[in-house]
Amino acid sequence: MKLGTAKWQRNLFIATFILPTFLFFCLFTIYPVIQAMYYSLFDWSGSSDNKTFIGFDNFKEMFHDPIIWNAIGNDYFLVAGKIIGIMIIATFFAVALTRFGFKLSNFFRSIFFIPNVISVVVIGVLWNFIYNPQIGFLNSFLSLFTKDKVDITWLGFTSHTIWMLLPPAIWAGIGFYMILLIAAIQGIPDSYYEASSLEGAGQWAQFKHITLPLIWEQMKVSILNIMMTTLNGSFVIVMIMTNGGPDNSTQVMGSYLYQMAFTQYHFGYGAAIGVLILVASLITTLILQRLMRQETVEIS
Amino acid sequence: MKSGGLNPFFKIIFYAILIIWGLSVLYPLLWTLLDALKNNDQFFRKMPWSLPDLPLLWSNFSYVWSEFSFDKYFMNSVVVTVGSTLLGLFLAASTAYVLARYPFKGSNVLYLIYIASMMIPFSLALIPLFFLLNSMNLTNSSLGLILVYASTLIAFGIFVLVGFFKSLPKELEEAAAIDGASYFGIFFRVMLPLSQPGLITVGIVNVLNIWNEYIIGTILVNDPDHYTLPVGIAMMQAQMQYRTEWGPLFAGLLITMVPVLVVYMFFQRQIANGITAGAIK
């Protein structure tokens, strides 16, 4: 009897601590995700009267929608550009600020992280000013070196504007991955480096044979993380800086989802784009993991 | 012998790179401040890096504060950030404690569900969230934002806090139990205070994310009375096509940035901990 009440109390405690969170989480996270998959099967303008079940027609329509193909291309352009740019620069900074014995390492580390605590909206507006053709920083700066005033509309070319989104994205991402890699490097025992110095290994040899293999796990995590956050979130900077323009040339899947759903009221199609983003990130995760697994074998 | 040994030539080059990158981060902040003190005339006639004319136009700040409703946006951001952080922390900590200390049938599966949800792209949930909140009459309200933002904290919070609770010594709970404390008493009086460092790490990461959040904010709110700062700034930038008031725009940017920069200055270590914890999934 006594044991029974104790057990009952314990179960009551577990239930009161588990259930509210789980119900809350189901309502605001799991339910919307399932709902999105359901919506993707409908032609739906947002009002319940106009909701028609069309099966996979939204996905079929995507095959014939040049904008979505362009958006997918842009997404992967940003993924590739950010992975290359961020990983090279962040690795360099992480090594420089730990292994090179620079004074002020902590100072630089704190500074380099600052863009990561600023809102993407603020970053987008700031970079819009850097690119602004009349009063912007970049044109004025370039004009210092030319006879005529430089007058380039940086965000105005359908063929190149997506390139202009890379610098702010890389600039804003460095600090986070640098911190990750610094933590990984600091986890490497000093004795490894001491032993290799005794054998006369220089900085480059140490980087290649000690640092790189031992932080490779962390680099893989970083690369996957860059891929996922880019496919899922790069549309914020797109929306702030170009709104997908000019002429849809900088559209990414997320910005197109937003535009389809919340400005053109094709909620079914928008939801289908959301499913596309999910599928794309899952497939890309698998592919990247496979590629990088082989890479590990090569290095070691 | 010395591991920091580096050819002096490279050392100078590397220093130069570090300094240039440092300037690329610090200069835009300084630039924002300087531009927030200029009038339009100075934007069009002078170089972007020119110093503002005297007297400095501090009035840009009061102008954007009252004329562009940044006073409201600021308060909304504070309410939404604080509210969602407290609610999310409580929901995450309670579950994390049970998962760490009172495993039950299915608790592992539950933990995996939470962790796996971190892999799902959030953009997928945007459309249903809008309709869900709409049906609950919670669009255009700070409460709606608080609920949604709190839910985005839960998975990460549980992930970090389960590890944290597991690392706390069991003896303290046992001692409290012998003294007659109930399960709830042990949690609120003993474990919650002890887990403060973990709570702060999770809380700070959340504060930064939510203060800066734009997309959910703009989808769930279209009444200017309930805008948060990032939504307000984006709207203000859009209006600048018609009314070019660059000085006030920069003042608005600064008002949005300064609070997180202050938080960052005080909680650097916790933020770094949160990042390293969160990425090693």
Side-chain angles (χ1 to χ4, degrees), chain A residues 21 110 117 119 128-129 203 232, chain B residues 3 91 123 212 237 264 268:
Chain A
T21 307
S110 306
V117 302
S119 174
N128 271 346
F129 257 86
Q203 283 285 358
N232 188 27
Chain B
S3 56
L91 290 170
S123 38
N212 291 333
Q237 181 192 239
Y264 174 60
Q268 277 192 50

Side-chain angles (χ1 to χ4, degrees), chain A residues 66-76 78 158 161-162 165 234-235 238-239 242-260 263-264 273:
Chain A
I67 298 175
I68 194 79
W69 286 104
N70 190 37
I72 295 171
N74 284 336
D75 264 308
Y76 282 94
L78 291 177
T158 49
T161 301
I162 190 71
L165 298 178
S234 61
F235 66 103
V238 169
M239 283 169 65
T242 66
N243 210 1
D247 199 18
N248 282 316
S249 66
T250 57
Q251 206 75 262
V252 290
M253 288 185 278
S255 60
Y256 197 42
L257 180 160
Y258 180 89
Q259 194 179 316
M260 273 294 140
T263 60
Q264 299 192 25
I273 298 173

Side-chain angles (χ1 to χ4, degrees), chain B residues 146-168:
Chain B
I146 288 174
L147 295 176
V148 173
Y149 286 151
S151 77
T152 64
L153 161 76
I154 289 176
F156 172 69
I158 287 177
F159 174 70
V160 174
L161 292 173
V162 163
F164 207 86
F165 282 124
K166 276 188 174 161
S167 73
L168 294 175

Side-chain angles (χ1 to χ4, degrees), chain A residues 116-138:
Chain A
N116 293 82
V117 302
I118 299 176
S119 174
V120 181
V121 176
V122 172
I123 289 170
V125 175
L126 275 177
W127 279 80
N128 271 346
F129 257 86
I130 291 176
Y131 291 143
N132 186 301
Q134 287 96 43
I135 55 176
F137 189 90
L138 193 52

Side-chain angles (χ1 to χ4, degrees), chain B residues 155-202:
Chain B
F156 172 69
I158 287 177
F159 174 70
V160 174
L161 292 173
V162 163
F164 207 86
F165 282 124
K166 276 188 174 161
S167 73
L168 294 175
K170 273 207 166 86
E171 288 76 11
L172 292 161
E173 285 162 290
E174 284 161 8
I178 290 166
D179 288 345
S182 67
Y183 289 110
F184 295 95
I186 294 173
F187 177 73
F188 286 107
R189 298 234 190 92
V190 182
M191 297 310 274
L192 214 48
L194 282 175
S195 62
Q196 223 180 46
L199 293 174
I200 290 176
T201 294
V202 176

